[in-house]
């Protein structure tokens, strides 16, 4: 028997794979994804995966309710369930509503991905919103040993900040890249920073863009304030 | 007699002072600015300054017509007149209209300033639109020796690119900073780039913002395209 904690990664897309790379050797891993296979990690059904010590939900928000419903009755007392969606109010509600009282819950949002953290996690940030129970503290200790900056928040204050940090950044980046080929000869330092922001998010999936722009209850108000400002500036 | 070329800097604001720092030892300098004094450079009237080999016009666009009119009759044959405004179609027209045929003309736009180039000019860019005569080639050779990237353009294609590079960057940066204190705890790499762009332009003068947003004939069309895109994205 391994003394390592058992960790299930539900959803083996780009982010699930990043998590797996960093947990190798630190946990006994299994994965659950009907669409992506792993070359070496054991692949199990979600109801088997639900028996692990820690369950990391790395599925899109649109799939979360279905996954939670399927796993709910199979989770063990004292297990820790963590989601990694880009918004937090909705996942927090779903987890509290659908999962039994005997599991611990934390909502998280890793503020990095395969593109922004290609060389490791040190110095990168993760938003961390504990919802229920003390089990998350061991995960916090592990993440800190890995060099992550764990930033405590609540689902509401997370979504409020992300309405700017992600909502406006993605809106601006998408609006700019839709203009077609952008200038790259006559450039200023500030414009080059803007272009780096565009490059980092322009290949994000339509599903992620939809989550960020539409599934954050603070996004619309923030966007309206920003659009009012720039429409006003444009008119002089 | 000095064998260095005589160079007049008309307008001794932040950019004129930057030029003076980099031309020390390479030219015999004098300055002309009714509002700013220099501790050590000779300060002359614009009609005296007009007798120099090279005249660098570092005044705001709104002051350019007046300066050109005052200097026109005093310029020497073969002198080189350079402007440094952030837009180029309007200054090019004014210089061609108001200055005598016997002076050489070039429109330039240094794509850097005291904030983006605090440690020297190497690697920084300048847009360079020769309008009349060969004298500008000596200035190009000097700038290249100083490490600047001299990028040939025309007033029209410059303004077309700058409608995005400066017009949209400044619009976005101003719109964001007007939202009030921006998040700095839960941040992503792309958002941090955006914030660096904001920091670099948010203290630019209202006069510069006005020039960039209103005095570039391509700015309004570009801005409308961008606003249409992001207003559309915001509505889903």
């Amino acid at each position: 028997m391994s003394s390592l904690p058992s960790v299930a990664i539900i959803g083996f897309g780009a982010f699930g794979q990043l998590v797996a790379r960093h947990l190798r050797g630190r946990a006994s891993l299994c994965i659950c994804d009907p669409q992506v296979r792993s070359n070496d990690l054991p692949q199990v059904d979600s109801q088997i995966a639900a028996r692990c010590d820690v369950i990391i939900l790395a599925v899109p928000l649109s799939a979360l309710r279905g996954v939670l419903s399927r796993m709910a009755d199979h989770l063990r007392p004292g297990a820790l369930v963590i989601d990694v969606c880009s918004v937090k109010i909705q996942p927090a509600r779903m987890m509290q509503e659908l999962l039994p009282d005997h599991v611990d819950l934390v909502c998280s949002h890793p503020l990095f991905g395969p593109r922004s953290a290609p060389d490791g996690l040190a110095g990168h940030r993760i938003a961390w919103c504990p919802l229920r129970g003390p089990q998350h503290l061991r995960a916090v200790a592990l993440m800190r040993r890995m060099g992550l900056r764990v930033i405590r928040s609540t689902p509401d204050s997370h979504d409020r900040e992300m309405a700017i940090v992600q909502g406006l950044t993605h809106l601006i980046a998408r609006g700019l890249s839709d203009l077609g080929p952008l200038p790259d000869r006559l450039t200023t330092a500030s414009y080059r920073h803007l272009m780096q922001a565009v490059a980092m998010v322009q290949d994000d999936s339509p599903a992620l863009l939809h989550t960020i722009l539409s599934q954050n209850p603070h996004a619309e108000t923030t966007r309206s304030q920003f659009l009012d400002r720039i429409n006003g500036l444009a008119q002089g």
Side-chain angles (χ1 to χ4, degrees), chain A residues 31-113:
Chain A
I31 66 168
C32 169
D33 192 320
Q35 267 137 30
V36 185
R37 301 208 66 77
S38 164
N39 290 328
D40 52 359
L41 293 174
Q43 200 137 0
V44 298
D45 178 83
S46 66
Q47 297 184 344
I48 306 292
R51 309 300 295 165
C52 287
D53 299 323
V54 178
I55 293 96
I56 299 175
L57 303 163
V59 297
L61 179 60
S62 58
L64 191 61
R65 180 173 290 277
V67 167
L68 293 172
S69 302
R70 246 184 87 74
M71 300 184 88
D73 290 344
H74 305 270
L75 292 162
R76 295 196 304 197
L80 174 66
V81 181
I82 309 174
D83 91 305
V84 299
C85 286
S86 298
V87 294
K88 296 274 59 82
I89 293 174
Q90 286 197 40
R93 279 196 198 129
M94 283 186 213
M95 288 164 73
Q96 286 170 314
E97 175 195 330
L98 297 170
L99 299 187
D101 288 343
H102 62 71
V103 297
D104 286 11
L105 303 177
V106 62
C107 266
S108 85
H109 180 192
L111 300 169
F112 56 88

Side-chain angles (χ1 to χ4, degrees), chain A residues 91-170:
Chain A
R93 279 196 198 129
M94 283 186 213
M95 288 164 73
Q96 286 170 314
E97 175 195 330
L98 297 170
L99 299 187
D101 288 343
H102 62 71
V103 297
D104 286 11
L105 303 177
V106 62
C107 266
S108 85
H109 180 192
L111 300 169
F112 56 88
R115 184 186 308 264
S116 54
D119 305 320
L121 304 182
H124 285 284
R125 301 169 198 226
I126 182 167
W128 197 252
C129 312
L131 300 178
R132 193 199 284 165
Q135 294 293 343
H136 74 97
L137 293 171
R138 287 164 60 193
V140 170
L142 172 62
M143 290 187 293
R144 293 208 163 121
R145 285 199 300 278
M146 294 164 83
L148 275 172
R149 293 177 58 181
V150 181
I151 301 172
R152 285 282 200 116
S153 188
T154 64
D156 186 71
S157 100
H158 168 277
D159 281 11
R160 198 177 290 276
E161 290 182 52
M162 283 300 127
I164 294 176
V165 171
Q166 290 202 296
L168 296 187
T169 303
H170 278 73

Side-chain angles (χ1 to χ4, degrees), chain A residues 167-177 194 198 226:
Chain A
L168 296 187
T169 303
H170 278 73
L171 182 74
I172 290 164
R174 183 58 54 109
L176 286 169
S177 52
L194 191 57
V198 170
F226 176 66

